[in-house]
Amino acid sequence: MPAENPPGLKRTQLNRKSHVMSRIAALNPAQVTDTAKQLFDVVQVKLGFVPNLARGMANSPAVLEAYLNFSGALAEGALHAPVREQIALTVAEVNICSYCLSAHTTIGRMVGLKSDAIINARSACAADPKTDAMLKLARAIVVQRGEISDGDFDRARQMGITDGEVAEVVANVALGIFTNYFNHVAQTDIDFPKVEPGVESNALTTAIQ
C-alpha cells in the first residue's frame, strides 16, 4: 500500500528540483577547532561520521550544541530509540523533509526498525497500538500546530499514553521540526541513502534494503 501523502503535500512539491549546493556551508571537520571540534567528535562517536546537518549547524556552535543536548536529553526519556525514530519519520514526511527522511530511515534501521515499520511510520502507523497512537498524536501536533482537538488527546489517553509520554511526544516533534526547518532553510546536501517524501512503499523498500 502506498505511503499516504501528508496533509498539504502537493505533487509540485514532491517534484521540486534539488539545489546543487547548500545555502549554508557544511564545515569540514578537519578544519574546525575549539567548541565545534568537540561537538563534531561527539557526533563522530555516535554515528561514525559527521553528517551535513551537523556540519551546517556548526556555523553556530551554539545551535549544534543545542540540538545535541536536546536530542541527548530525550534519549534518556521514556520513549525508546525505535519510537523516537518513528516519530522523526512521521514528522519528516508531514514536513516534506528529504534530508530527515533519509537520515532517519538509515538511523531507524541502525536501532532495529524493519523496512515495514519505517514505511508505516511515514504514514503515522505502527503495528504496536500504543506506538501507533503516539505517531498519530505526533502527526496531529504538526498538522494542527499544537492545537490538537480533545478527540486527538482522548485517543492518545485511551491507548494508555501517560502525561510524561505526551510531553515527550511533543518534545520529539519539536526536535523533528527544528531539524526539518533547518534543512529547508539550509537546503542541506543529503549524505545518507536518499529517500523522498511521498514515494510509494515498493520503491522505498528497494531504497532501504
Side-chain angles (χ1 to χ4, degrees):
M1 180 177 179
E4 296 176 2
N5 287 353
L9 183 62
K10 298 182 184 301
R11 182 58 50 185
T12 53
Q13 291 172 302
L14 291 178
N15 293 334
R16 61 190 175 188
K17 184 177 179 180
S18 298
H19 285 72
V20 175
M21 61 186 300
S22 298
R23 289 170 171 162
I24 295 176
L27 302 184
N28 186 337
Q31 296 177 347
V32 297
T33 59
D34 302 327
T35 302
K37 183 180 186 308
Q38 294 171 15
L39 295 171
F40 280 173
D41 288 345
V42 171
V43 177
Q44 177 72 37
V45 168
K46 183 176 181 180
L47 293 179
F49 78 113
V50 182
N52 286 334
L53 171 65
R55 292 169 62 186
M57 286 182 172
N59 282 280
S60 168
V63 171
L64 179 55
E65 186 171 15
Y67 166 66
L68 294 176
N69 286 343
F70 195 1
S71 178
L74 292 177
E76 300 298 322
L79 303 188
H80 296 159
V83 176
R84 298 197 307 274
E85 291 303 316
Q86 287 167 292
I87 292 172
L89 288 161
T90 295
V91 174
E93 183 74 26
V94 176
N95 283 330
I96 322 174
C97 182
S98 296
Y99 189 96
C100 287
L101 280 175
S102 303
H104 290 290
T105 294
T106 296
I107 298 170
R109 292 179 69 84
M110 290 170 59
V111 301
L113 290 177
K114 303 299 185 184
S115 297
D116 59 347
I118 290 170
I119 293 164
N120 289 338
R122 294 177 55 177
S123 298
C125 296
D128 174 69
K130 186 172 180 179
T131 302
D132 185 80
M134 288 183 181
L135 300 186
K136 288 177 169 53
L137 176 62
R139 182 167 64 179
I141 291 167
V142 179
V143 171
Q144 300 174 49
R145 297 181 175 87
E147 296 284 353
I148 64 170
S149 68
D150 289 341
D152 292 324
F153 192 83
D154 290 344
R155 279 188 288 273
R157 277 283 192 243
Q158 289 165 10
M159 296 310 302
I161 299 175
T162 67
D163 284 348
E165 288 167 336
V166 170
E168 289 190 29
V169 170
V170 174
N172 278 278
V173 167
L175 180 64
I177 291 172
F178 175 26
T179 56
N180 296 167
Y181 285 10
F182 182 89
N183 288 318
H184 288 331
V185 172
Q187 295 177 349
T188 311
D189 184 49
I190 298 173
D191 48 354
F192 293 88
K194 191 171 184 179
V195 177
E196 293 281 8
V199 176
E200 292 188 354
S201 60
N202 58 352
L204 177 59
T205 301
T206 300
I208 63 180
Q209 285 178 340

